[in-house]
Amino acid sequence: MYSRIAGTGSYLPEKILTNFDLERMVNTTDEWIRDRTGIERRHIAADGQTTVDLGEQAARRAIEAAGVRPGDIDFIAFGTTTPDLVFPNCGVLLQERLGCRGGPAFSVETACAGFVYALAIADKFVKAGEARCALVVGAETLSRITDWTDRSTAVIFADGAGAVVLQPDPQAGILSTHLHADGAYKDMLYCGTGVSKGFPDAKPYMTVKMVGSEVFKVAVLNLGKAVEEALTAQGLDKSALDWLVPHQANIRIIQATARRLNMPLERIIVTVQDHGNTSAASVPLALDVGVRDGRIKRGELLLLEAFGGGFTWGSALVRY
Ligand code: COA
């Protein structure tokens, strides 16, 4: 038994922040941002619009695409770094909105790898016969923990949401998932505030801190290993892949992984120019873009991968 992606959905908040807007906020240029990251614009949540608000829109679209009803959802795994509340978790808050009571609902807090982790967990439950209609969401309002005076991070992070519905299928679906973490890198990318550690008044303390060049190097190295690990686990050659659906952090990281796979850019779903880095939302957002514009077709082989703070990273090989 496999868990098959029955439907995808995504949602982006209305407000668009361009590189030119950022030029007026920090000491940067459109040219620098495009050259070093590939990002041209990103979406930012409205005041009062929360992670669950974004996730709900994406989830409803995925549910509709799967041809099921909200009440059919019996399992929710919600990847996010920017939850609405300390608790209840975002999965539970979404469950209440969808009106699908009783099944497990939880959030997964593994930064940009949040969706891939949540997908891997949901996949196991569907395969084991313990969930029949699982909803996996990745949603973020990273703008709330971005220091808009720090040019090294303000140009990168953004808001958005993506979701998939998983259902059991005897033929094909998620072939394997591969998750990793290395806490030795905890100081390379983090937000140094929290319930137990405290919420100091000083605003800069509540924002993302990143040693960008170090993150870049380790991301390229580990993503390269992760995609090869997934192919090896299934005894597949690189040439078997139809699409790479990567985490959208930086076009140069995506290109490095593509080189490792000998994949031309035309076989990679790239949304970083329009979405920026939406952390846990980035992979399901890119997947939904590729599915809805008709590039990704049923039966094709996809490799999903993500890398984030922790560090955490992982991949999923999917027969769509
Ligand atoms: N605008 C203009 N100049 C900037 C800038 C900005 N927004 N941010 C940094 N710079 C400057 C630096 O001050 C530095 O100047 P100097 O050479 O005079 O000291 C120069 O640009 C190069 O900085 P560096 O940090 O080495 O650039 P980089 O090529 O590594 O690119 C990142 C910076 C952040 C784009 C890149 O490191 C990156 O993408 N890292 C990974 C980030 C990531 O993926 N994070 C999320 C993981 S999920």
Side-chain angles (χ1 to χ4, degrees):
M1 186 61 74
Y2 296 98
S3 67
R4 189 177 67 99
I5 296 179
T8 66
S10 62
Y11 177 78
L12 290 158
E14 261 175 53
K15 182 182 169 187
I16 293 175
L17 188 73
T18 66
N19 291 350
F20 298 104
D21 295 327
L22 278 164
E23 283 183 356
R24 291 192 287 276
M25 296 161 69
V26 286
N27 182 16
T28 192
T29 61
D30 168 59
E31 193 188 359
W32 190 95
I33 303 171
R34 270 190 290 115
D35 281 0
R36 300 294 182 111
T37 71
I39 302 168
E40 295 171 23
R41 61 190 72 80
R42 71 283 289 142
H43 292 250
I44 302 293
D47 287 347
Q49 195 175 29
T50 69
T51 294
V52 174
D53 291 336
L54 308 189
E56 180 185 357
Q57 298 299 327
R60 289 192 183 279
R61 290 173 186 177
I63 288 167
E64 193 186 351
V68 298
R69 288 163 307 167
D72 297 331
I73 300 296
D74 60 1
F75 182 101
I76 300 179
F78 195 124
T80 188
T81 319
T82 47
D84 287 24
L85 304 173
V86 172
F87 72 88
N89 72 71
C90 288
V92 169
L93 298 178
L94 179 58
Q95 189 201 48
E96 188 270 337
R97 298 214 193 160
L98 296 175
C100 49
R101 299 163 64 182
F106 56 92
S107 54
V108 180
E109 184 202 350
T110 50
C112 299
F115 176 79
V116 172
Y117 264 67
L119 185 75
I121 298 166
D123 171 53
K124 305 276 185 294
F125 275 83
V126 173
K127 273 187 182 143
E130 292 179 35
R132 294 202 55 79
C133 197
L135 177 64
V136 186
V137 180
E140 301 281 9
T141 45
L142 281 172
S143 58
R144 304 273 152 74
I145 54 165
T146 299
D147 180 352
W148 293 105
T149 64
D150 174 7
R151 69 177 182 174
S152 68
T153 51
V155 302
I156 290 174
F157 297 111
D159 302 337
V164 302
V165 170
L166 298 182
Q167 292 194 296
D169 190 299
Q171 304 299 331
I174 297 175
L175 302 180
S176 60
T177 58
H178 307 270
L179 303 181
H180 297 281
D182 189 345
Y185 293 103
K186 66 181 174 47
D187 298 327
M188 296 291 113
L189 178 55
Y190 66 95
C191 180
T193 191
V195 178
S196 189
K197 209 160 164 78
F199 292 90
D201 290 336
K203 185 78 177 166
Y205 198 70
M206 297 176 65
T207 52
V208 177
K209 303 284 182 293
M210 179 173 78
V211 186
S213 52
E214 207 49 40
V215 176
F216 190 98
K217 273 187 267 174
V218 185
V220 167
L221 184 71
N222 285 331
L223 286 173
K225 284 188 199 162
V227 292
E228 281 175 10
E229 175 189 29
L231 290 169
T232 305
Q234 293 301 313
L236 289 167
D237 186 71
K238 297 166 186 179
S239 59
L241 282 179
D242 292 300
W243 294 101
L244 177 66
V245 186
H247 175 45
Q248 312 284 324
N250 184 316
I251 190 66
R252 294 186 292 138
I253 297 178
I254 294 173
Q255 286 163 343
T257 311
R259 275 196 294 276
R260 185 101 169 219
L261 289 168
N262 295 333
M263 281 191 94
L265 269 181
E266 305 83 71
R267 305 306 288 172
I268 303 170
I269 307 295
V270 180
T271 56
V272 69
Q273 71 283 358
D274 297 324
H275 298 171
N277 181 348
T278 58
S279 188
S282 114
V283 170
L285 254 166
L287 176 64
D288 189 48
V289 166
V291 166
R292 285 181 192 255
D293 69 17
R295 277 179 290 173
I296 297 176
K297 296 187 182 58
R298 285 287 173 201
E300 290 187 321
L301 189 65
L302 324 180
L303 185 51
L304 281 47
E305 46 90 331
F307 183 91
F311 292 142
T312 54
W313 67 99
S315 64
L317 200 54
V318 179
R319 178 69 66 191
Y320 180 72

